[in-house]
Amino acid sequence: MDVMTYSDARAQLKGVMDRAIVDGQEVVVTRKKGEAVVVVSLDAWNEINETLHLLSTPVNAARLRSSIAELDAVGGQERELYE
């Protein structure tokens, strides 16, 4: 994770966005008189929100953990997905 000042991020905005999108690198942008922010790609942001949604209820989180444990114990079989 890179950390840079607001001034540096502003001067290098294209590079900051490229790091987030191409490299999958989070970039923390600090400000003198405010809280820092994190720049992430839209794909990463959507993945974070999906994970939060899936884990938002204890029942669903327990089902997911149980499924992962079952997969680890028995071994999974790779299958082709059809779109």
Side-chain angles (χ1 to χ4, degrees):
M1 181 179 311
D2 291 339
V3 179
M4 60 187 351
T5 65
Y6 168 80
S7 297
D8 289 340
R10 185 180 60 215
Q12 304 169 31
L13 185 57
K14 181 184 181 317
V16 170
M17 293 189 300
D18 286 345
R19 273 186 268 174
I21 295 167
V22 177
D23 301 334
Q25 181 71 43
E26 300 91 1
V27 181
V28 176
V29 180
T30 61
R31 303 182 301 164
K32 285 183 182 178
K33 297 182 180 179
E35 291 186 39
V37 297
V38 178
V39 178
V40 296
S41 71
L42 180 58
D43 285 343
W45 181 249
N46 288 336
E47 290 169 1
I48 291 166
N49 277 319
E50 178 70 15
T51 300
L52 290 173
H53 173 72
L54 292 172
L55 298 175
S56 65
T57 64
V59 172
N60 200 48
R63 285 182 186 151
L64 289 170
R65 288 186 185 97
S66 173
S67 296
I68 292 168
E70 181 181 342
L71 178 65
D72 289 342
V74 178
Q77 181 179 6
E78 187 173 331
R79 296 180 187 231
E80 186 175 334
L81 296 177
Y82 297 100
E83 293 188 32

